[in-house]
């Protein structure tokens, strides 16, 4: 049964762990919670808590894990600045605001999630310079502005970075992470510009790259096939041009490829059929021309193929032979279809 009502005043000064997540607790966090000075783990996530973090939280000097996600809390994070033992902090999906200066006093952080709040700040390195153990940084859906500083590359344990849906500008400093263990870089829906650098495809552990809805331009790098770990490459809704490099067929781990809504041209290379692990192929909204390579019939696990709004012609009925029966959309509508497809799920004109 879920707990309801308000949080009571607490008198358990020796309690080390308190988990009250996924209830319907409401009202504010009681000030007496700050008297539980032996607390190491506190989880009040997914409730209906409101108001601000009480001043007494400054007394929780032993706290290592704090999860207040999915509530209606407001105010700033400044009440947490004294909690120097924190290793895991999750404030996602609240209404916190202000800057991120409080982070510089949390040197032991390993995971940080401040997504879906109203923080207004930049990524100046001094905020993060003490976090030498930081592995996960999630700041998505705030109002983070300015460039990503190259000095963040000094955080050599950083693996997962999500700053999507902000106002970041400039280029991402891939060159600054030579010893990085980056696995996921999610930068969608920002204001990034410039070219997609070859550096991306030289990381040993990188699995996810998402730069959808930015202002990237130029061609995909010729050496795109250098990664053995990349599983997701999303570059939709940018201003990319040129052809798909043949080397893309060397991305043997690739599962999701989305380069839709760009200005790319040329024919779809035969080497795409080498991507045997592909689940999603979305190239719609470009200016690709010619016929589709028949080798794509050998896709084994693909679930979605989006080809529409291009200049592709001829028959693509060979896609009907794919055993996984993917959802296919193409320019196969109208009295004189641009492509011939007898099994397409969505036919557009």
């Amino acid at each position: 049964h879920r707990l309801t009502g308000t949080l009571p005043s607490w008198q358990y000064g020796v309690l080390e762990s308190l988990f009250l997540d996924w209830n319907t607790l409401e009202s504010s966090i009681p000030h007496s919670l700050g008297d539980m000075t032996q607390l190491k783990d506190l989880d009040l996530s997914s409730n209906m808590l409101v108001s601000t973090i009480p001043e007494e939280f400054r007394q929780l000097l032993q706290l290592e894990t704090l999860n207040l996600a999915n509530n209606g809390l407001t105010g700033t994070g400044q009440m947490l600045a004294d909690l120097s033992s924190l290793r895991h902090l999750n404030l996602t999906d609240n209404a916190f605001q202000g800057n991120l200066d409080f982070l510089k006093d949390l040197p032991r952080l390993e995971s940080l999630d401040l997504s879906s709040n109203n923080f207004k700040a930049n990524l100046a390195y001094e905020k993060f310079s003490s976090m030498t153990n930081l592995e996960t940084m999630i700041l998505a859906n705030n109002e983070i502005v300015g460039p990503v500083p190259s000095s963040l590359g000094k955080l050599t344990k950083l693996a997962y970075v999500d700053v999507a849906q902000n106002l970041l500008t400039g280029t991402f400093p891939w060159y600054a992470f030579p010893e990085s263990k980056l696995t996921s870089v999610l930068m969608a829906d920002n204001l990034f510009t410039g070219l997609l650098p070859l550096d991306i495809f030289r990381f040993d552990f990188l699995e996810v790259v998402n730069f959808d809805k930015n202002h990237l331009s130029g061609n995909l790098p010729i050496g795109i096939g250098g990664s053995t770990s990349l599983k997701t490459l999303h570059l939709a809704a940018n201003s990319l041009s040129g052809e798909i490099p043949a080397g893309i067929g060397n991305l043997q781990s690739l599962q999701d490829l989305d380069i839709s809504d760009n200005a790319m041209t040329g024919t779809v290379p035969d080497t795409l059929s080498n991507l045997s692990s592909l689940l999603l192929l979305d190239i719609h909204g470009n200016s690709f021309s010619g016929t589709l390579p028949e080798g794509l019939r050998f896709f084994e696990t693909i679930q979605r193929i989006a080809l529409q709004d291009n200049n592709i012609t001829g028959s693509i009925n060979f896609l009907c032979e794919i055993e996984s029966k993917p959802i296919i959309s193409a320019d196969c509508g109208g009295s004189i279809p641009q492509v011939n497809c007898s099994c397409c799920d969505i036919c557009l004109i």
Side-chain angles (χ1 to χ4, degrees):
H1 298 286
R2 289 190 173 189
L3 299 177
T4 60
T6 61
L7 278 168
S9 296
W10 298 93
Q11 307 295 329
Y12 303 103
V14 296
L15 199 65
E16 293 188 356
S17 298
L18 179 60
F19 300 97
L20 294 173
D21 51 309
W22 291 102
N23 286 289
T24 51
L25 299 171
E26 53 190 11
S27 190
S28 59
I29 300 173
H31 294 259
S32 61
L33 202 58
D35 296 330
M36 302 173 67
T37 56
Q38 300 304 307
L39 266 183
K40 292 184 178 180
D41 305 290
L42 176 60
D43 190 342
L44 302 177
S45 63
S46 301
N47 280 284
M48 301 170 63
L49 300 173
V50 295
S51 191
T52 60
I53 298 174
E55 175 80 24
E56 287 78 6
F57 255 54
R58 295 180 184 274
Q59 301 168 193
L60 302 179
L61 301 181
Q62 305 300 317
L63 202 61
E64 297 181 1
T65 300
L66 176 60
N67 190 346
L68 301 177
N70 303 314
N71 281 288
L73 296 167
T74 59
T76 72
Q78 201 55 43
M79 295 303 173
L80 308 178
D82 293 332
L83 308 185
S84 58
S85 295
L86 271 181
R87 294 188 299 115
H88 307 284
L89 174 60
N90 190 344
L91 303 180
T92 189
D93 199 11
N94 280 283
F96 290 110
Q97 57 188 355
N99 58 45
L100 300 179
D101 290 351
F102 67 97
L103 294 177
K104 67 180 182 295
D105 298 315
L106 305 178
R108 299 184 183 180
L109 275 184
E110 298 174 17
S111 64
L112 171 67
D113 190 347
L114 305 181
S115 59
S116 298
N117 281 283
N118 300 312
F119 289 110
K120 297 180 180 180
N122 57 35
L123 294 180
Y125 179 59
E126 57 266 20
K127 298 183 181 72
F128 305 96
S129 59
S130 66
M131 298 183 191
T132 55
N133 293 314
L134 193 64
E135 299 176 0
T136 299
M137 177 195 291
I138 306 176
L139 304 175
N141 195 20
N142 281 284
E143 295 184 44
I144 312 298
V145 301
V148 177
S150 59
S151 50
L152 285 185
K154 297 177 182 178
L155 304 178
T156 56
K157 292 186 179 180
L158 197 59
Y160 189 100
V161 183
D162 183 356
V163 292
Q165 294 178 276
N166 280 290
L167 299 169
L168 292 165
T169 57
T171 60
F172 187 82
W174 296 96
Y175 63 88
F177 292 80
E179 301 176 8
S180 177
K181 293 180 173 58
L182 282 175
T183 62
S184 301
V185 178
L186 288 78
M187 302 281 157
D189 203 359
N190 277 285
L191 303 171
F192 289 112
T193 57
L195 306 176
L196 190 70
L198 184 59
D199 295 352
I200 296 176
F201 306 99
R202 294 175 176 166
F203 285 81
D204 293 332
F205 306 102
L206 194 60
E207 296 183 355
V208 178
V209 173
N210 190 335
F211 275 82
D212 287 349
K213 298 182 181 179
N214 279 282
H215 302 294
L216 302 181
S217 58
N219 298 352
L220 296 181
I222 296 297
I224 193 172
S227 173
T228 58
S229 58
L230 194 63
K231 295 181 179 179
T232 299
L233 180 60
H234 281 204
L235 303 170
N238 281 281
S239 298
L240 298 173
S241 56
E243 302 183 1
I244 301 175
I248 200 167
N250 295 325
L251 297 175
Q252 292 297 304
S253 298
L254 198 63
Q255 297 178 355
D256 281 18
L257 175 61
D258 188 348
I259 53 174
S260 62
D261 291 321
N262 280 285
M264 300 188 69
T265 57
T267 58
V268 177
D270 293 341
T271 53
L272 266 185
S273 61
N274 296 336
L275 304 178
S276 58
S277 299
L278 210 60
L279 301 174
L280 167 70
L281 173 63
D282 192 343
I283 62 172
H284 88 267
N286 283 281
S287 296
F288 293 117
S289 57
T291 58
L292 207 63
E294 293 200 16
L296 300 187
R297 74 173 74 225
F298 299 113
F299 282 146
E300 297 178 355
T301 58
I302 197 157
Q303 299 175 3
R304 179 81 170 90
I305 301 175
L307 307 171
Q308 72 273 17
D309 196 14
N310 279 290
N311 299 317
I312 296 170
T313 58
S315 174
I316 59 172
N317 281 323
F318 55 85
L319 296 179
C320 303
E321 301 175 18
I322 299 175
E323 291 187 7
S324 58
K325 303 300 180 186
I327 297 172
I328 303 172
S329 55
D331 296 318
C332 49
S335 58
I336 306 177
Q338 189 171 301
V339 297
N340 183 12
C341 181
S342 61
C343 63
C344 283
D345 302 273
I346 303 172
C347 279
L348 297 139
I349 301 175

